[in-house]
Amino acid sequence: MDKILVTYASRTGTTKGVAEAIGNILMKDGFQVETLPMEDVKDLAGYCAVVAGSAIQSAQWLPEAFEFVRKNQAALQKLPVAMFSVCMTLAMKNGEKYRQAIQQWVEPVRYILKPVSEEIFKGKLEIGRIQSIGQRIKFRISVLVGVWKEGDQRDWNVIGTWAQSLKGTLIDGKR
């Protein structure tokens, strides 16, 4: 049976949770799935397709995610690849108006991956997990004035619907 790799880069576990949900849905659809952090992926041999995702910070995929894509470019271009991003900007008040800008932020990744499917999901804001004191203060103020809501903004229905759409896309999208 063909095996699908669901791989991710995450700082706080939010993107990991999305990747695990996608992997579980693909498994329920009868696929053999391995869900791993990008840093644990040693080789892409043996996979028939890849779902790759990263948190977006500072208007870009995490550096280790971009490095994974760059390092594995040749192998990834031979496989159907779906990509997802997790971005708190979508969770802002009127965040959907930023979707086009967010898509531009991931253009360098898209250029390498040439995904057969792509999606951007809202994230989870846990101010206590932000390392920088200055950033924590900035986010607390933003929450107080209503720019963001603290907590989990991920829409599991949207994530599930996209994951279910992958079963045909990844297998039919073989390169």
Side-chain angles (χ1 to χ4, degrees):
M1 176 183 267
D2 291 332
K3 186 168 27 171
I4 297 173
L5 171 65
V6 179
T7 188
Y8 61 89
S10 185
R11 284 285 188 271
T12 64
T14 300
T15 305
K16 175 184 180 185
V18 172
E20 289 172 342
I22 292 167
N24 288 335
I25 288 166
L26 291 171
M27 279 193 286
K28 286 179 186 170
D29 286 335
F31 294 102
Q32 186 178 355
V33 177
E34 192 165 23
T35 304
L36 295 170
M38 289 177 177
E39 62 201 29
D40 291 351
V41 177
K42 304 303 179 212
D43 189 1
L44 295 176
Y47 297 109
C48 70
V50 175
V51 179
S54 176
I56 293 181
Q57 288 187 352
S58 303
Q60 62 187 356
W61 262 28
L62 295 176
E64 61 270 27
F66 188 78
E67 179 59 21
F68 170 84
V69 169
R70 190 199 60 70
K71 182 179 91 179
N72 293 289
Q73 179 175 1
L76 289 166
Q77 289 181 343
K78 294 176 185 170
L79 296 169
V81 178
M83 72 182 252
F84 70 94
S85 302
V86 178
C87 184
M88 274 307 295
T89 300
L90 277 184
M92 290 174 65
K93 189 175 186 179
N94 301 314
E96 280 297 323
K97 72 180 183 180
Y98 298 105
R99 185 173 286 276
Q100 191 170 21
I102 297 165
Q103 289 173 333
Q104 290 175 354
W105 297 345
V106 296
E107 183 63 32
V109 179
R110 187 181 306 109
Y111 179 78
I112 294 171
L113 288 182
K114 301 183 182 14
V116 296
S117 183
E118 178 183 352
E119 190 56 80
I120 303 165
F121 303 115
K122 295 176 185 176
K124 181 177 180 181
L125 179 58
E126 294 178 289
I127 294 173
R129 295 192 73 171
I130 298 171
Q131 292 182 351
S132 161
I133 292 172
Q135 288 288 355
R136 276 197 303 248
I137 291 168
K138 180 179 108 176
F139 276 103
R140 287 214 187 278
I141 292 168
S142 296
V143 167
L144 286 172
V145 298
V147 174
W148 271 293
K149 289 185 215 170
E150 190 166 8
D152 195 346
Q153 307 303 314
R154 294 172 291 184
D155 186 329
W156 297 106
N157 290 324
V158 171
I159 293 164
T161 298
W162 184 73
Q164 289 175 332
S165 78
L166 295 178
K167 59 185 168 187
T169 306
L170 290 175
I171 300 307
D172 296 340
K174 284 189 176 181
R175 294 182 178 167

